[in-house]
Amino acid sequence: MPAKGWRKDEQESNFETAVDNEKISIDSLLFPKTTVNKIAKQVLTQADGTSMILAKDSQTVIQRASVVFINYIYDAAKQLVKEKGRKVVNADDILLALEQTNFNSFVPVLKEGLETFTIKKQKKKQEKEKEKKKKEEEEAVDDDAAAEKGDSSNKRAKLANGAPGTTSVASGVIDADDATEEEDKKHQF
């Protein structure tokens, strides 16, 4: 169900309609101040070797400028995607938008970061698959060992595997000899 106040119109997205209707300011779109300050301090420390303190006004300016910059690049990328007849903006579109808006110096650094991120993501995926296979193998070994021992703790496995001497009853598992004794008692009356 659409959000309250939503209208179908010819505009590109619902977000733009919401911006027009609600008159959203830059203050509602700002990135977290602590994150922006942390990044700014890392850059200042790396460049000079000494740590610098940012004034409150400087922190606010950096925070607002980062939002404006990212929105500018995203808008340029969105225009490229629209020209190509697509709807989804991907990393290559962002890099191309950076080149077209004369921010070429950022492209190599971002490509390296993207490659590093992709490699980490692939490694993480492979590790999860290995853990999943290892877990499945351990469970298979545990089930086989329980079936060989005749362990009664794994009753469901016995029923599924058709273990000899067992029949299923609503209250649980009964030995075949007990079942025949109960049937004999019923027939005696």
Side-chain angles (χ1 to χ4, degrees), residues 7 23-24 34 37 53 68 71 95 99 102 105 112 119-121 179 182 189:
R7 290 187 309 229
K23 303 202 185 223
I24 296 175
T34 56
N37 292 337
I53 298 173
V68 171
N71 284 323
L95 294 173
E99 290 174 0
N102 295 326
S105 60
E112 286 179 27
I119 290 169
K120 285 182 182 179
K121 191 175 177 182
E182 287 180 18
F189 295 111

Side-chain angles (χ1 to χ4, degrees), residues 177-189:
D177 296 332
D178 294 339
T180 54
E181 288 176 12
E182 287 180 18
E183 288 176 17
D184 290 340
K185 289 180 184 178
K186 287 180 187 177
H187 294 292
Q188 288 177 359
F189 295 111

Side-chain angles (χ1 to χ4, degrees), residues 110-153:
L110 290 175
K111 281 185 180 180
E112 286 179 27
L114 183 61
E115 289 173 9
T116 304
F117 173 76
T118 306
I119 290 169
K120 285 182 182 179
K121 191 175 177 182
Q122 288 173 349
K123 285 181 181 179
K124 200 174 201 181
K125 186 176 180 182
Q126 289 173 353
E127 288 175 6
K128 282 186 178 182
E129 288 176 1
K130 285 180 184 179
E131 287 178 17
K132 186 177 178 181
K133 286 180 183 179
K134 186 177 179 182
K135 196 174 192 180
E136 288 174 358
E137 289 174 2
E138 288 175 358
E139 288 176 0
V141 169
D142 289 344
D143 289 343
D144 291 342
E148 288 176 9
K149 288 181 181 179
D151 189 10
S152 62
S153 64

Side-chain angles (χ1 to χ4, degrees), residues 30-43 54 59 62-63 66:
L30 291 176
F31 297 125
K33 200 170 207 172
T34 56
T35 305
V36 174
N37 292 337
K38 188 176 183 182
I39 294 170
K41 286 181 182 180
Q42 286 176 353
V43 170
L54 290 172
Q59 294 173 358
I62 291 171
Q63 186 182 23
S66 62

Side-chain angles (χ1 to χ4, degrees), residues 60-129:
T60 304
V61 169
I62 291 171
Q63 186 182 23
R64 288 175 180 245
S66 62
V67 170
V68 171
F69 175 74
I70 289 176
N71 284 323
Y72 176 69
I73 297 301
Y74 179 72
D75 185 56
K78 194 166 76 168
Q79 294 300 324
L80 291 171
V81 168
K82 190 176 179 182
E83 289 172 5
K84 294 178 182 178
R86 295 183 299 139
K87 292 185 178 184
V88 177
V89 177
N90 59 32
D92 294 331
D93 298 325
I94 299 292
L95 294 173
L96 188 59
L98 282 167
E99 290 174 0
Q100 286 188 348
T101 54
N102 295 326
F103 290 104
N104 297 336
S105 60
F106 292 133
V107 174
V109 175
L110 290 175
K111 281 185 180 180
E112 286 179 27
L114 183 61
E115 289 173 9
T116 304
F117 173 76
T118 306
I119 290 169
K120 285 182 182 179
K121 191 175 177 182
Q122 288 173 349
K123 285 181 181 179
K124 200 174 201 181
K125 186 176 180 182
Q126 289 173 353
E127 288 175 6
K128 282 186 178 182
E129 288 176 1

